[in-house]
Amino acid sequence: MVCGGDVRSMVLQLGIAIRFGTFNKGLSLQQHLNCIRIPSIAHFPNRGFKTITRVMDDNSSMPRVATPVLDIMGFPSGAWKSEDGRLSCGYSSFRGKRVTMEDFYDIKTSKIDGRLVSLFGIFDGHGGSRAAEYLKEHLFDNLLKHPKFLKDTKSAISETYQQTDADFLDYEKDTFRDDGSTASTAVLVDNHLYVANVGDSRTIISKAGKAIALSEDHKPNRSDERKRIENAGGVVMWAGTWRVGGVLAMSRAFGNRMLKPFVVAEPEIQDQEIDEETELLVLASDGLWDVVPNDIVLFDTLDIVILCLFRMLFLLSEQKRRRRQLLVS
């Protein structure tokens, strides 16, 4: 579905696809990776190809971190699987049309008081990379340290989001930067899933073959968001698209000091139990959802998303090669 469209207009910065249970078609994680490696080497014969297999040791105080297993053209992509085999995850992150990469992702697992915790997050930066990078470095660590994390997880997530935003603004107070970031996160505590969202990244889940959105994009023209902004003294205006103060095309974000208190980092949170009908969870930035409908999860998303990302990388590489040839000629 993705591959059949005009991928040149698609700017997918990052995404994570999480499968509950085993892969389809009876393939193991390694077999899936082998299926991905073969075309990627053929498409990039002159590019560096690096395999990374290091994973931090797991213990009760140090989260287990998934590191990229594929690194093509400097863009981390790959897969991860939990030790008990319950979760399999594919992820990809690469720079679109911008000069520098502004987006980050984070995947962690940990055990707290004997309970298994898995955390997945994507952070789509704008106006610079520092806000998204700060979230990668601190958001999940702050959440795991919250005293109410296991007792009242929803409150812990909400408080951690807003406190991390305040910490970032304080950290950047002596700089002239005013960058910001979205955050779409999925926190799995045993079999209970919590999805929190700030901004226009999105998380969807596939249950019994149906795509269900677990987050709603924070756009300035959403009636409730517009009312909140205007009640706080802000303004929503059209400047190519609906923007807060004519500047930002989303109504909630981390950072963006100049747009406080209109642009906030208070997350909207949905939670549900993971059962036998739960198949897949997808977190992605707006670069995907602007051109692909939610029901992409009705297909084999792990294969489609990752392989189509490689296809887009290939086409972008071909575009750059042709431009270099034109410049030389």
Side-chain angles (χ1 to χ4, degrees):
M1 190 177 202
V2 183
C3 296
D6 182 5
V7 296
R8 290 175 297 176
S9 66
M10 186 173 178
V11 187
L12 173 56
Q13 280 110 3
L14 74 165
I16 299 174
I18 306 159
R19 184 180 299 282
F20 298 88
T22 59
F23 285 107
N24 281 349
K25 306 174 186 176
L27 295 182
S28 67
L29 176 69
Q30 189 61 45
Q31 288 171 317
H32 270 265
L33 294 180
N34 288 338
C35 290
I36 294 170
R37 281 197 183 110
I38 295 171
S40 65
I41 294 175
H43 287 171
F44 303 101
N46 298 321
R47 300 287 180 177
F49 186 86
K50 180 167 60 176
T51 301
I52 305 173
T53 56
R54 179 180 60 84
V55 178
M56 295 176 62
D57 291 334
D58 188 19
N59 57 56
S60 58
S61 60
M62 179 65 73
R64 190 168 183 266
V65 182
T67 54
V69 294
L70 299 180
D71 190 359
I72 299 172
M73 297 174 61
F75 307 124
S77 301
W80 166 89
K81 190 175 184 179
S82 61
E83 289 185 345
D84 60 8
R86 293 174 61 245
L87 296 176
S88 302
C89 169
Y91 50 93
S92 185
S93 173
F94 66 90
R95 178 173 55 84
K97 298 177 181 178
R98 299 188 183 277
V99 176
T100 59
M101 183 62 171
E102 296 180 344
D103 308 335
F104 293 84
Y105 68 89
D106 197 12
I107 301 172
K108 285 185 171 72
T109 63
S110 184
K111 280 188 177 180
I112 303 177
D113 296 337
R115 301 179 68 180
L116 182 63
V117 177
S118 302
L119 307 99
F120 307 87
I122 58 172
F123 314 112
D124 184 356
H126 51 264
S129 63
R130 190 64 193 111
E133 185 176 14
Y134 188 91
L135 293 178
K136 174 182 174 63
E137 293 172 351
H138 298 285
L139 184 62
F140 285 161
D141 287 343
N142 291 345
L143 178 58
L144 291 172
K145 295 174 184 175
H146 195 287
K148 295 190 296 183
F149 175 60
L150 292 181
K151 295 179 180 179
D152 189 354
T153 306
K154 290 182 74 171
S155 294
I157 292 172
S158 181
E159 292 172 9
T160 299
Y161 261 61
Q162 294 175 81
Q163 185 59 52
T164 303
D165 181 46
D167 292 345
F168 171 70
L169 292 174
D170 184 64
Y171 182 78
E172 295 280 293
K173 64 182 179 182
D174 296 325
T175 71
F176 294 100
R177 296 187 295 267
D178 193 33
D179 50 344
S181 177
T182 73
S184 192
T185 62
V187 177
L188 186 63
V189 181
D190 294 329
N191 287 324
H192 203 95
L193 176 68
Y194 301 86
V195 170
N197 187 62
V198 163
D200 57 4
S201 296
R202 190 183 307 165
T203 298
I204 63 173
I205 195 168
S206 175
K207 298 197 73 170
K210 296 182 179 180
I212 303 169
L214 293 184
S215 65
E216 185 176 356
D217 301 355
H218 290 132
K219 296 292 189 181
N221 58 325
R222 249 179 64 175
S223 58
D224 56 340
E225 287 295 278
R226 182 166 193 158
K227 182 178 180 180
R228 178 186 60 78
I229 292 166
E230 292 175 345
N231 287 343
V235 62
V236 174
M237 63 179 65
W238 179 266
T241 187
W242 291 106
R243 299 177 185 272
V244 180
V247 178
L248 190 63
M250 66 190 73
S251 55
R252 301 193 190 194
F254 287 81
N256 294 114
R257 182 191 310 275
M258 301 301 294
L259 293 174
K260 302 294 186 190
F262 321 125
V263 175
V264 299
E266 181 181 357
E268 290 186 311
I269 304 172
Q270 295 192 40
D271 67 302
Q272 61 178 262
E273 288 291 325
I274 298 300
D275 55 29
E276 64 277 1
E277 292 187 338
T278 307
E279 300 157 337
L280 194 73
L281 189 73
V282 178
L283 300 83
S285 64
D286 61 336
L288 177 65
W289 306 120
D290 283 349
V291 295
V292 178
N294 289 353
D295 58 8
I296 185 176
V297 296
L298 298 180
F299 299 90
D300 191 348
T301 304
L302 186 63
D303 290 339
I304 289 177
V305 171
I306 294 178
L307 293 178
C308 287
L309 294 182
F310 290 153
R311 176 62 177 166
M312 282 184 278
L313 284 173
F314 170 63
L315 294 180
L316 289 172
S317 177
E318 285 295 292
Q319 282 184 327
K320 292 179 181 179
R321 182 182 62 80
R322 293 191 187 106
R323 288 173 184 169
R324 286 197 298 268
Q325 287 178 341
L326 290 174
L327 290 175
V328 171
S329 60

